[in-house]
Structure formats: C-alpha cells, structure tokens
C-alpha cells in the first residue's frame, strides 16, 4: 500500500475536529520525521520546505501546496464507525477520508516526487488546522513563516477539476433608525418602513461584473427584527444580509457600494472570507487546460478565502461526499490525483 495512504488510515483513526487537531498533527509529524524529512510546525500546522533538501530553492518564488487535517463531526446517520478506516475494494471509508484526506495524501506524494527534480520554484507543502471553521490558528497563522507566495494549490475534493473561481462570504448587520411614537397617532418615524427601502435596494441592485464561472454577486436579506409591541412605532429595525462575492469584487469594494446606496447603518461581521478568481492566462491554468482538466467555479469555501495571492483549488474525491455519512475516497482517485498534480506542476514557470 502507498505509504501516504497508510498514513491517511492512521489519521482517520484519530478524531481531529476543528481546533482539536493536536494529536493527528503529532502523528503526521512523527511519521514524516521518520522518513528523514525536516518537519516545521506551529500549533497544529505542519509544513515541508523544498529548500531544506535543495538549498538553491531558498531564493526562488514560492509555490504553496495546502490540505487541511481537521474534520467536521460525523453525521448522525453514519452506519460505520467514522474512526475505523476500512478499505473495501477501491474505497477507503472513514471520517475525513474525502475531505480532506485524499488531497492530503495526493499533495504529499506529489511534493515527494517534485522535490527530487530541479524546479524553478520553492515548493512548500502544508497540512493545516481549523479550515472547517475558518479559524485564525490555521493556515493564516503560518503564512508569515512561509515568505511571499506566488501561487497556491489548495487541495479539496473537486474530482480533479480546476476551481478557477470560488465564492466568498460577506455578512452584514444593518440597522435602520426611526423615531418611536404611538401607532394610533400620526407621530414617529417607522424604522420598518425605512428598512424596507434599503431591503428593496438589496433585492434589486445588480453588480455590473458577472463571473463566467460564478455568475453575479448574490445578495440575500435573510433575517429581520423590529418592534416591541403592536401599538408602538418601532424606532429600530435590524436586518442581516448574506452576500456571496463572485471573485471580481473585493469585500471592501462591495461594502463601499452598499454604504453609498443604503441609509441604514452597515457593519460587516468579518472581512476575512474573500472570494477568489485566477486569470485564465495564469501558467497553471493554461497547463491544466492543456492536460484536459476542466475549469469551473466553486460555490463552497476553503482556505482560499484567507489568501490574496493567485490560487487554484483542485483535488481528488467529490465535494458531494464531504460532510456526509459513511464518507469515503477511492484509492485510485488519490493515486491519479498525485499523478495529475505532478504533471500540472513539474517545471511550471510561475
């Protein structure tokens, strides 16, 4: 059995829910160290650096490989022990096997192959924590240790299709202010009516740029709260807007457009969940197309939301299996994924 698949089996046996990945990180660190590799670690995040094997790589541009080692909790409808790795035919069952174990193993195998050949870049493989909760102690915490990154490859189950765009997330808490008064008299300023004007804008506004892969920026008012009793004109109306950026606008640009057009106060919950969009003339995209890899836009978020450099999301397995009961990955998907990663990245000029 492939050594990295054996390692994945050992990982499945250890619960590694988000923010509790220390034990599985210990395992991976020990196993890779046992292969004679220099393993860097910060918290529950690990990385391997080609410059440790090839000192000449030190001054080269950085190509980052990333997979995550945390999982969600098992679905209640599991019929198998989620922490018992079982190989049945071509399938490996177990929590985290598909999301993100397949990419973990395939990217590690590709790194081991690529660093044995001279490459025009410095290749850093990372296995990071807290991806499922977009936590601050995951990839984000080690980026300053890695230097300026020129290109990122994020391993997620995409069926080895190239996600050249990924939706982001921007949640806004909005509040329309009015003046209280008695509902029986002509007094006060109804905050609900003021909010309705802004809600209508969110419903009707269309951003000019539409992504060929993700379509338009999508804005949805999803929650609303106002009033204390039936006979009092409400002086405040709060509502929540869920916005899915399409890779062509930054969250800052969207927020500015919103503030220029609504009268309610607007407060973003977070500006961390960025959308991404990589140019079709990026060398990795052109190489992928030449290999017959299909480009598409991904509606699901990943560690890509945390970075500003060009990146591609691609990995073995299927997104539909993620977070589902009796999760599995095909061993052939891992092997094929590793081969494709090598063909995609070998001697790539970034």
């Amino acid at each position: 059995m492939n050594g990295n698949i054996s390692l994945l089996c050992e990982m499945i046996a250890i619960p590694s829910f988000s923010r509790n990945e220390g034990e599985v990180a210990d395992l991976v660190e020990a196993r890779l160290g046992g292969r004679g590799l220099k393993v860097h670690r910060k918290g529950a995040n690990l990385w391997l650096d080609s410059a440790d094997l090839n000192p000449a790589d030190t001054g080269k541009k950085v190509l980052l490989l990333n997979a995550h080692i945390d999982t969600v909790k098992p679905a209640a409808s599991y019929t198998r022990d989620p922490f018992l790795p079982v190989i049945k035919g071509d399938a490996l069952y177990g929590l985290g096997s598909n999301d993100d174990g397949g990419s973990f193993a395939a990217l590690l195998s590709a790194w081991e192959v690529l660093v044995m050949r001279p490459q025009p870049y410095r290749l850093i493989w990372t296995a990071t924590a807290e991806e499922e909760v977009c936590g601050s102690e995951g990839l984000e915490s080690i980026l300053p240790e890695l230097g300026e990154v020129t290109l990122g490859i994020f391993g997620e189950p995409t069926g080895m299709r190239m996600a050249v765009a990924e939706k982001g997330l921007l949640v806004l808490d909005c509040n329309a202010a009015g003046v209280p008064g008695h509902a029986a008299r002509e007094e006060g300023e109804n905050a609900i009516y003021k909010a309705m004007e802004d809600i209508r804008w969110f419903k009707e506004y269309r951003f000019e740029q539409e992504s060929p892969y993700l379509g338009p920026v999508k804005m949805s008012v999803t929650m609303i709260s106002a009033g204390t009793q039936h006979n009092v004109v409400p002086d405040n109306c709060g509502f929540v807007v869920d916005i899915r950026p399409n890779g062509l606008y930054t969250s800052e640009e969207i927020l500015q457009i919103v503030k220029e057009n609504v009268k309610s106060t607007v407060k973003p919950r977070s500006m961390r969940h960025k959308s991404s969009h990589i140019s079709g003339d990026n060398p990795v995209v052109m190489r992928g197309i030449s290999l017959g890899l299909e480009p598409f836009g991904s509606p699901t978020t990943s560690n890509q939301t945390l970075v500003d450099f060009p990146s591609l999301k691609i990995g073995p397995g299927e997104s539909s299996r993620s977070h589902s009961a009796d999760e599995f990955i095909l061993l052939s998907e891992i092997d094929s994924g590793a081969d494709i990663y090598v063909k995609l990245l070998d001697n790539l000029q970034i």
Side-chain angles (χ1 to χ4, degrees):
M1 185 188 300
N2 179 303
N4 292 327
I5 292 177
S6 296
L7 174 56
L8 175 56
C9 289
E10 291 187 84
M11 293 169 65
I12 289 171
I14 300 174
S16 56
F17 306 137
S18 301
R19 299 193 174 96
N20 291 280
E21 307 93 341
E23 188 176 351
V24 78
D26 291 342
L27 169 72
V28 175
E29 182 179 24
R31 294 293 180 268
L32 297 184
R35 299 181 190 180
L37 297 171
K38 181 177 180 180
V39 184
H40 301 265
R41 179 168 181 172
K42 182 178 182 181
N45 304 287
L46 309 169
W47 66 98
L48 301 172
D49 189 343
S50 69
D52 292 326
L53 298 174
N54 307 306
D57 287 354
T58 302
K60 297 178 181 178
K61 295 179 180 178
V62 173
L63 198 163
L64 174 72
L65 309 179
N66 177 253
H68 63 89
I69 59 174
D70 61 319
T71 73
V72 296
K73 293 185 178 180
S77 53
Y78 255 86
T79 64
R80 298 172 174 272
D81 181 344
F83 305 111
L84 178 63
V86 173
I87 295 177
K88 187 174 181 180
D90 190 34
L92 168 60
Y93 291 88
L95 181 66
S97 56
N98 181 77
D99 184 14
D100 194 30
S103 293
F104 169 95
L107 283 170
L108 177 55
S109 294
W111 184 90
E112 290 174 318
V113 171
L114 290 167
V115 296
M116 299 309 294
R117 309 169 184 173
Q119 299 295 343
Y121 48 76
R122 176 181 171 191
L123 188 62
I124 299 179
W125 172 88
T126 59
T128 54
E130 298 192 5
E131 188 274 345
E132 296 290 2
V133 294
C134 201
S136 60
E137 296 303 314
L139 174 65
E140 195 173 33
S141 70
I142 66 170
L143 285 175
E145 313 279 342
L146 308 181
E148 183 178 355
V149 176
T150 298
L151 175 67
I153 303 295
F154 288 89
E156 290 282 350
T158 69
M160 294 310 291
R161 295 187 299 154
M162 299 188 298
V164 296
E166 179 185 270
K167 283 188 177 180
L169 174 62
L170 178 62
V171 180
L172 304 180
D173 288 304
C174 305
N175 188 78
V179 177
H182 198 295
R185 294 190 291 270
E186 295 296 328
E187 61 185 32
E189 295 180 15
N190 196 315
I192 293 177
Y193 296 157
K194 289 189 170 186
M196 286 171 59
E197 296 177 7
D198 289 339
I199 290 171
R200 184 178 297 110
W201 180 86
F202 282 110
K203 178 183 177 182
E204 297 178 352
Y205 185 80
R206 297 293 179 268
F207 286 83
E208 182 178 346
Q209 298 184 76
E210 293 195 12
S211 165
Y213 296 105
L214 297 176
V217 174
K218 189 175 186 301
M219 299 193 292
S220 304
V221 176
T222 55
M223 299 175 68
I224 189 167
S225 176
T228 56
Q229 58 191 63
H230 77 89
N231 58 353
V232 176
V233 173
D235 60 349
N236 281 286
C237 180
F239 58 97
V240 177
V241 186
D242 178 293
I243 302 178
R244 303 293 170 144
N246 64 355
L248 302 181
Y249 296 87
T250 66
S251 295
E252 290 78 9
E253 289 171 334
I254 292 173
L255 181 61
Q256 184 60 35
I257 291 171
V258 169
K259 288 184 174 181
E260 289 173 355
N261 284 276
V262 303
K263 296 178 181 178
S264 299
T265 60
V266 178
K267 183 178 180 181
R269 292 186 181 179
S270 173
M271 301 295 285
R272 296 174 65 237
H273 305 281
K274 307 178 185 74
S275 59
S276 66
H277 190 282
I278 188 169
S279 172
D281 61 5
N282 188 286
V284 73
V285 177
M286 292 193 294
R287 173 76 68 87
I289 290 173
S290 73
L291 293 171
L293 304 180
E294 177 190 354
F296 77 107
S298 175
T300 60
T301 58
S302 70
N303 272 335
Q304 280 185 297
T305 65
L306 303 176
V307 304
D308 294 316
F309 48 79
S311 61
L312 189 69
K313 182 166 71 176
I314 178 173
E318 297 294 338
S319 182
S320 59
R321 300 179 202 150
S322 301
H323 306 179
S324 65
D326 299 336
E327 181 182 349
F328 69 93
I329 185 78
L330 300 181
L331 303 183
S332 57
E333 290 175 322
I334 297 176
D335 289 339
S336 175
D339 289 342
I340 290 173
Y341 282 138
V342 171
K343 291 176 182 176
L344 184 66
L345 303 176
D346 194 18
N347 200 35
L348 183 71
Q349 301 294 324
I350 63 172

